[in-house]
Amino acid sequence: MKELQFDRHRRLRTTSSLRDLVRETTVEKADLIYPVFTVEGSEVKNEVPSMPGVYQYSIDLLKEEIDDVVEQGIQAILLFGVPERKDEVGSNAYAENGIVQRAIRELKVRHPELTIIADTCLCQFTDHGHCGVIEDGTIINDTSLDLLTKTAVSQAEAGADVIAPSNMMDGFVTAIRNGLDEAGFVHVPVMSYAVKYASAYYGPFRDAAHSSPSFGDRRTYQMDPANRKEALREASSDDEEGADFLIIKPALSYLDIVRDVKEQINRPIVAYNVSGEYSMIKSAAAQGWLDEKETVIEKLTSMKRAGADLIVTYFAKDMARWIDENIKGE
C-alpha cells in the first residue's frame, strides 16, 4: 500500500501542555478594562435588571468594589456616572462636583496606581438622552463640541488618567485634544470611541446608565452597522486628530473592523465587549445552554486574535479570576 503523504497537525494537540506551548493568543489581566457605574446617594447598590452581576454603586460602595477590582489585578476601569438631575445641556457632565468628578477624586486618593478612564459624553446627563445639544429636534455638532471639551477638561482636573469621548460628533478628538492641551493636560491621553456603530447590543447599558434617548435614535451620529469603509475613514480621522487609543464598539459582531483598523493604524486598539454581548451569555448560561467560562474565554480570545490590544468587558473580574485559577492549576 502506497504511503500517504500529508501534514499531521494533530501532533501539536495531543496534550494540554503541548497545546499551551503553541497557543498563539492569550488574554492577560493587563488587557482588561472594567466598566463601572456610579450614582448619587450613599449605600446604594442597584443591580441592573438586564445585566445580572452588574451594579450601580454610590461612591462609598464603589470604593469597596474598586478595592476588589484592584486586588484581582485589574489595572484600569472605565467610569460612567448617573446624575441625580439632568437638563437640556447636560451641565452635570462638566460640573466641578459632578458625580464622575467626585468619584474620580475619591478613587485616585484610594488607589493612585489605578488607571481611571473617564467616559466623556452628554447622553447620561441630558434630559433628552442624546449625546449633544439639541436645536429644533436636531443634534448640533459644533455647539456640542464645546460642552464635550468642557467635560473632558473637568474630568482631567479631577484626576482622570485617560479621557474616552464616546459621542461620535465630527471633530470631537481634535476639539478635546486642543482643550486638554490648552488647560495644561498635554500628558492626558485620549481613548477615542473611533468606530461606534448604532447597534442593537446597547440596550442593557442604557438601563444601567439611564441614557435612552427620549425621541428618535442615534443613527445620525453613530455608524450604520452595514458599513466597513466608513469605519476606516472614522478611525483615520481620529488618528490624525490626535487620538492615542482607538475603540471599536461593539466588538463581537465587528471583529472584521477590529482587524481592518489594526492593520491600517499604528495605535493601541480597544475592543468594547458591550452590554448586550454580556447579557446574552449570562442569560444562556443561566439556562444551562452555554458554559459561561468557556464561552467568555473563547469570545475574549477572539477579540485579541482579531487584533485588539485591550478589551473593555463586564467579564473582567471573572476573567481575572479564571486566569488565576489556570495559573494555580499548573
Side-chain angles (χ1 to χ4, degrees), residues 197-237:
Y197 285 92
S199 172
Y201 287 100
Y202 300 154
F205 172 88
R206 292 174 184 174
D207 288 344
H210 298 172
S211 62
S212 295
S214 62
F215 68 92
D217 55 38
R218 296 181 176 140
R219 294 180 184 275
T220 65
Y221 45 104
Q222 294 179 2
M223 285 180 49
D224 184 340
N227 291 357
R228 172 175 170 263
K229 293 179 181 178
E230 183 183 10
L232 298 176
R233 294 198 300 271
E234 286 277 4
S236 295
S237 290

Side-chain angles (χ1 to χ4, degrees), residues 293 318-330:
K293 175 182 176 180
D318 297 310
M319 191 64 191
R321 185 178 70 253
W322 294 329
I323 291 169
D324 285 340
E325 289 173 356
N326 184 55
I327 293 171
K328 291 175 183 177
E330 293 174 353

Side-chain angles (χ1 to χ4, degrees), residues 15-31:
T15 67
S16 175
S17 59
L18 263 176
R19 292 191 294 273
D20 287 346
L21 283 173
V22 299
R23 182 163 295 129
E24 299 173 25
T25 305
T26 58
V27 179
E28 308 293 341
K29 289 184 182 183
D31 303 329

Side-chain angles (χ1 to χ4, degrees), residues 109-125:
V109 169
R110 195 175 183 97
H111 294 290
E113 77 286 1
L114 177 69
T115 296
I116 299 179
I117 305 165
D119 179 80
T120 305
C121 198
L122 300 177
C123 60
Q124 299 103 287
F125 300 90

Side-chain angles (χ1 to χ4, degrees), residues 7 25 36 48 57 68 89 91 132 155-156 202 235 262-263 268 276 327:
D7 292 327
T25 305
V36 294
V48 180
Y57 295 95
D68 183 49
V89 293
S91 58
Q155 292 168 338
Y202 300 154
K262 179 68 174 180
E263 290 181 343
I327 293 171

Side-chain angles (χ1 to χ4, degrees), residues 1 21 27 76 108 121 135 139 148 170 185 192 206 223 227 242 253 273 293 296 325:
M1 179 178 176
L21 283 173
V27 179
K108 289 306 290 185
C121 198
E135 292 182 13
I139 295 90
L148 292 163
D170 290 337
F185 297 106
S192 166
R206 292 174 184 174
M223 285 180 49
N227 291 357
S253 292
N273 175 210
K293 175 182 176 180
V296 171
E325 289 173 356

